[in-house]
Amino acid sequence: MTRLWHGLVAVLAAVALVGQAVITIDQDRSFANFASYFTIESNLLVLVTSVLLVLRPDRGGTAFGVLRLASLTAITVTGLVYATILAGNGDFDGAEWWFDKIFHYVVPVMSVIGFVAFRPRTRLAWTAMWSLAFPVAWLAYTLVRAEVAEPVFVLTPTTTAAVPYGFLDVAELGGLTVSAICAVMTAGFVVIASIYVRISRASDVRL
């Protein structure tokens, strides 16, 4: 059952990622922008992790622990931020509507369930907290790219910005506000990652 669950997560993430990439290329949109969304990168991390778990459900080790925690934390934040802040901003139809739901609802929920409910569960050492380097690096990359490359992201059907998410728009909100938001986000990542580490080490508790 564990292999089946992670395999289903991998298939769903792969279908959505490949499908959205094809649409992006077919409609001559910026592929660099597509690959720069935290949503896309977190789903890609889940895809890689899920495939590795299908091959070996009891996989362990320091490197895999970092990857596992990075994927769990990132996809959890993706789901939470979308559900509470971003839902409704996009105007999707057809296949993109389905991909949107897979990226932001299905994969996040299934990833959390897969970690909490299925055995064997990856036991995470506290060294797996190095996974937090990923969101910090993503924030730095996003803000620097906005200033250097001046990309154009569609935030809503009528709004664009140089960042993929409006709450990171320095031009609109100002540097101090965005810095405060980044600090809050980083703290949130630390809390979520810490919870996952504690859950993984409470191997005797079934949730």
Side-chain angles (χ1 to χ4, degrees):
M1 184 63 179
T2 299
R3 276 194 168 97
L4 179 62
W5 186 269
H6 291 307
L8 183 57
V9 173
V11 168
L12 288 168
V15 167
L17 286 166
V18 173
Q20 190 60 60
V22 169
I23 291 174
T24 297
I25 295 170
D26 184 63
Q27 297 188 3
D28 201 26
R29 303 177 194 170
S30 170
F31 193 83
N33 282 2
F34 164 75
S36 296
Y37 280 99
F38 191 81
T39 293
I40 299 302
E41 296 181 11
S42 63
N43 274 266
L44 184 58
L45 282 174
V46 169
L47 170 59
V48 173
T49 305
S50 296
V51 169
L52 290 174
L53 286 169
V54 169
L55 296 174
R56 183 181 163 192
D58 64 345
R59 187 180 297 273
T62 302
F64 182 73
V66 172
L67 176 63
R68 182 76 165 120
L69 187 58
S71 68
L72 280 167
T73 306
I75 203 65
T76 300
V77 171
T78 292
L80 290 174
V81 171
Y82 189 83
T84 58
I85 300 175
L86 301 175
N89 285 352
D91 184 18
F92 305 109
D93 56 23
E96 281 192 294
W97 186 89
W98 290 102
F99 297 153
D100 172 67
K101 298 303 178 284
I102 293 172
F103 285 141
H104 297 111
Y105 294 113
V106 179
V107 171
V109 170
M110 290 188 69
S111 295
V112 174
I113 292 174
F115 178 72
V116 173
F118 290 91
R119 298 294 190 276
R121 179 192 296 155
T122 305
R123 192 173 192 276
L124 301 168
W126 286 105
T127 53
M129 295 293 285
W130 280 106
S131 62
L132 295 172
F134 165 64
V136 171
W138 179 86
L139 283 170
Y141 159 78
T142 298
L143 296 175
V144 169
R145 183 171 183 256
E147 295 297 322
V148 175
E150 298 182 351
V152 178
F153 290 90
V154 177
L155 302 183
T156 70
T158 59
T159 308
T160 61
V163 290
Y165 308 107
F167 53 79
L168 296 177
D169 189 357
V170 174
E172 180 69 23
L173 302 176
L176 286 177
T177 299
V178 172
S179 295
I181 291 172
C182 288
V184 171
M185 289 180 64
T186 301
F189 274 104
V190 172
V191 170
I192 292 170
S194 298
I195 290 172
Y196 279 129
V197 172
R198 290 188 179 278
I199 290 174
S200 80
R201 299 174 75 80
S203 57
D204 296 334
V205 180
R206 284 191 176 271
L207 302 178

